[in-house]
Amino acid sequence: MNVPQPAARIGDSAWFTRDRFGLFVHWGIYALPARHEWVKSRERITDAAYQPYFDHFDPDLFDPTTWAADAKAAGMRYAVITTKHHDGFCLWDSKLTDYKATNTPAGLDLIREFVDAFRAAGLRVGFYHSLIDWHHPDFPSDMFHPRRDDPVYRAGNAERDMTRYAAYLHGQVRELLTDYGRVDVMWLDFSYGDRPSYEGLPGKGRNEWRSDELVAMVRQLQPGILLNNRAEVQGDFTTPEQYQPRGWVHVDGKPVMWEACQTLNGSWGYDRDNLDWKSPDLLVRMLVDSVSKGGNLLLNVGPTARGEFDPRARATLARIGEWTRLHSRSIYGATATEHVSPPDGRYTARGSRLYLHLFAWPFKHAHLSGLGGKIAYAQLLHDGSEIRVLDGGRDEGQANTSLRGISASDATLVLPVQRPDVLVPVVEIFLKE
Ligand code: GLC
């Protein structure tokens, strides 16, 4: 294949570029206010005013076995969960803080439960861990900090010791990568050392996190782990957030391994009144679009404060699963191709097979540039029904069929007028070897 491939990275990537579709889980005590995981920053909430969410965190319906079953049925093959988000709340039983799930009414190491359930379901497990911490006393206020406009907190910055915070950060990552068996992905989030200061308060990045030492420790504790790119270190993969890239993602002019992370409704944490839900067919198109450009899709669910995926999220996952069940061959182990798909379509390729995903259903014909004489057989993927192919617009067996204006180098698929009733119809094309 002529599509440029990314250079090998340090972590194990074979599973990642095969499995393509993962679940992101953003869960924490921000599920109680239920108005975005950044609520503490956006509303400039003090620790005292945020405390009721800790005191009332009682996810009595938490059942990660159901989460894993939903993810698996959707066609997801790995899952990345927030161990700590920017508010500093820890979902596992960290020895380094009291600000953790075991001290809330939840009374459980939620990460342990999650890891056990997802592994039992055959899914790989990764950890999202926030570099930012709006609870730790040594974390100086900055442009995102909930106390950024509080002169008293700001005056206290002089006493805050970022080295102590970095030691805490590294210590917690060490716990996570030591106590939970094999972890497949480490998703550190995020750096903003390059942003303009806010009222004299600079951002934070590689120096503040001591990223070089942190990354060395991550690699040493979990040699196969895949590391993302948000500690101001390139890592193994790049993470476009809430947009679909135009083509295969490049860094410094070179193609890289990449994973788009996307929400169901624009928020990562459970956001009760946000109704901006993406439709299942849009989400399937986003998955297809990623794979057609050599990337993955990490699709987020923000569970409720009771510990469930809300019905809208569950229904969406189920609809996606109806599609992936029938179309797994065009996604898993598939990637970009040098062939140029017709308008409103996306190709993925796997070995000598091409998969044409039709985002809009044309009238009767799809013209495939450069494939004249190269197709051995074609069929609709969802039901395995034959699709006739006209080389150069001609069908020797059918005197009637000769399409004007089609060059000999093109092939034409003859499609039924009725669009198949699946979220995105796919034609599986067997190229001559
Ligand atoms: C971010 C946000 C955030 C979310 C994330 C996922 O940078 O701060 O809340 O966790 O990216 O990509």
Side-chain angles (χ1 to χ4, degrees), residues 336-389:
T337 165
E338 75 276 17
H339 297 293
V340 179
S341 81
D344 302 324
R346 294 288 184 286
Y347 276 142
T348 64
R350 198 167 50 80
S352 59
R353 297 189 199 183
L354 266 185
Y355 295 90
L356 173 60
H357 302 76
L358 289 161
F359 286 7
W361 190 249
F363 169 58
K364 219 158 119 187
H365 298 127
H367 305 292
L368 312 183
S369 302
L371 294 184
K374 297 192 175 151
I375 297 177
Y377 188 72
Q379 60 184 357
L380 283 169
L381 183 53
H382 72 282
D383 65 356
S385 62
E386 182 180 9
I387 290 294
R388 279 177 38 241
V389 180

Side-chain angles (χ1 to χ4, degrees), residues 24 26 36-38 85-86 128 187 189-190 230 241 261 268:
F24 215 175
H26 275 67
H36 201 276
E37 75 284 356
W38 273 63
H85 204 263
H86 309 330
Y128 166 110
W187 225 99
D189 193 44
F190 64 84
R230 294 198 182 174
E241 174 176 336
C261 48
W268 302 92

Side-chain angles (χ1 to χ4, degrees), residues 356-433:
L356 173 60
H357 302 76
L358 289 161
F359 286 7
W361 190 249
F363 169 58
K364 219 158 119 187
H365 298 127
H367 305 292
L368 312 183
S369 302
L371 294 184
K374 297 192 175 151
I375 297 177
Y377 188 72
Q379 60 184 357
L380 283 169
L381 183 53
H382 72 282
D383 65 356
S385 62
E386 182 180 9
I387 290 294
R388 279 177 38 241
V389 180
L390 312 182
D391 280 316
R394 274 169 213 291
D395 185 340
E396 302 304 337
Q398 306 231 339
N400 281 346
T401 315
S402 181
L403 308 173
R404 285 175 191 276
I406 306 295
S407 92
S409 62
D410 296 340
T412 297
L413 304 178
V414 183
L415 302 169
V417 171
Q418 298 303 313
R419 180 191 182 281
D421 186 20
V422 291
L423 293 179
V424 174
V426 179
V427 182
E428 181 174 47
I429 299 167
F430 297 74
L431 297 177
K432 291 179 183 162
E433 307 259 357

Side-chain angles (χ1 to χ4, degrees), residues 228-243:
N228 76 338
N229 65 329
R230 294 198 182 174
E232 270 178 16
V233 170
Q234 189 182 335
D236 298 304
F237 65 99
T238 299
T239 53
E241 174 176 336
Q242 304 238 39
Y243 70 94

Side-chain angles (χ1 to χ4, degrees), residues 48-375:
Y50 204 67
Q51 187 60 25
Y53 307 134
F54 183 94
D55 296 337
H56 295 91
F57 183 51
D58 186 9
D60 57 331
L61 301 177
F62 175 52
D63 175 14
T65 305
T66 307
W67 295 8
D70 284 356
K72 199 166 179 175
M76 293 157 161
R77 295 194 163 180
Y78 63 103
V80 177
I81 186 169
T82 51
T83 48
K84 175 190 88 166
H85 204 263
H86 309 330
D87 66 359
F89 175 72
C90 298
L91 277 74
W92 82 104
D93 190 14
S94 173
K95 312 270 176 306
L96 303 176
T97 185
D98 294 330
Y99 201 55
K100 57 183 176 182
T102 41
N103 290 338
T104 67
L108 275 178
D109 182 330
L110 302 170
I111 296 300
R112 177 83 58 205
E113 307 285 321
F114 177 93
V115 162
D116 289 349
F118 275 70
R119 288 221 187 94
L123 292 147
R124 288 176 188 263
V125 166
F127 293 151
Y128 166 110
H129 194 73
S130 176
L131 298 162
I132 299 168
D133 195 313
W134 298 326
H135 182 79
H136 197 281
D138 277 308
F139 196 88
S141 64
D142 58 32
M143 63 274 260
F144 299 130
H145 197 281
R147 302 284 76 215
R148 59 192 169 278
D149 295 326
D150 174 351
V152 178
Y153 194 93
R154 173 188 291 252
N157 272 0
E159 315 302 316
R160 297 195 170 92
D161 181 349
M162 197 61 197
T163 321
R164 247 183 344 231
Y165 173 69
Y168 172 76
L169 169 67
H170 292 207
Q172 289 205 317
V173 171
R174 178 178 288 283
E175 288 181 344
L176 289 166
L177 299 187
T178 305
D179 297 341
Y180 296 87
R182 182 186 159 113
V183 178
D184 290 291
V185 177
M186 184 82 232
W187 225 99
L188 298 170
D189 193 44
F190 64 84
S191 302
Y192 46 107
D194 55 354
R195 305 217 192 170
S197 316
Y198 174 78
E199 318 244 327
L201 300 172
K204 298 182 178 66
R206 185 177 190 145
N207 294 335
E208 286 72 23
W209 319 132
R210 305 173 82 99
S211 293
D212 294 329
E213 290 160 59
L214 181 58
V215 165
M217 181 185 76
V218 167
R219 301 276 192 212
Q220 181 240 325
L221 293 172
Q222 296 268 348
I225 206 165
L226 285 177
L227 177 70
N228 76 338
N229 65 329
R230 294 198 182 174
E232 270 178 16
V233 170
Q234 189 182 335
D236 298 304
F237 65 99
T238 299
T239 53
E241 174 176 336
Q242 304 238 39
Y243 70 94
Q244 286 298 121
R246 210 172 151 203
W248 197 311
V249 176
H250 285 57
V251 172
D252 298 331
K254 302 207 177 75
V256 292
M257 208 159 48
W258 66 275
E259 174 194 69
C261 48
Q262 301 288 3
T263 61
L264 289 176
N265 65 353
S267 176
W268 302 92
Y270 179 63
D271 194 353
R272 183 189 59 208
D273 302 333
N274 176 342
L275 300 180
D276 203 11
W277 292 82
K278 298 178 183 75
S279 63
D281 77 281
L282 173 57
L283 293 161
V284 167
R285 279 184 274 132
M286 290 160 67
L287 170 63
V288 167
D289 183 65
S290 289
V291 179
S292 77
K293 294 166 180 171
N296 285 24
L297 176 65
L298 187 65
L299 182 61
N300 182 77
V301 175
T304 69
R306 297 285 302 276
E308 289 195 313
F309 290 3
D310 90 74
R312 295 165 293 189
R314 296 195 75 186
T316 298
L317 293 183
R319 291 280 285 138
I320 294 172
E322 289 169 20
W323 186 87
T324 51
R325 184 179 75 80
L326 294 170
H327 299 90
S328 59
R329 298 212 294 261
S330 78
I331 298 295
Y332 309 117
T335 187
T337 165
E338 75 276 17
H339 297 293
V340 179
S341 81
D344 302 324
R346 294 288 184 286
Y347 276 142
T348 64
R350 198 167 50 80
S352 59
R353 297 189 199 183
L354 266 185
Y355 295 90
L356 173 60
H357 302 76
L358 289 161
F359 286 7
W361 190 249
F363 169 58
K364 219 158 119 187
H365 298 127
H367 305 292
L368 312 183
S369 302
L371 294 184
K374 297 192 175 151
I375 297 177

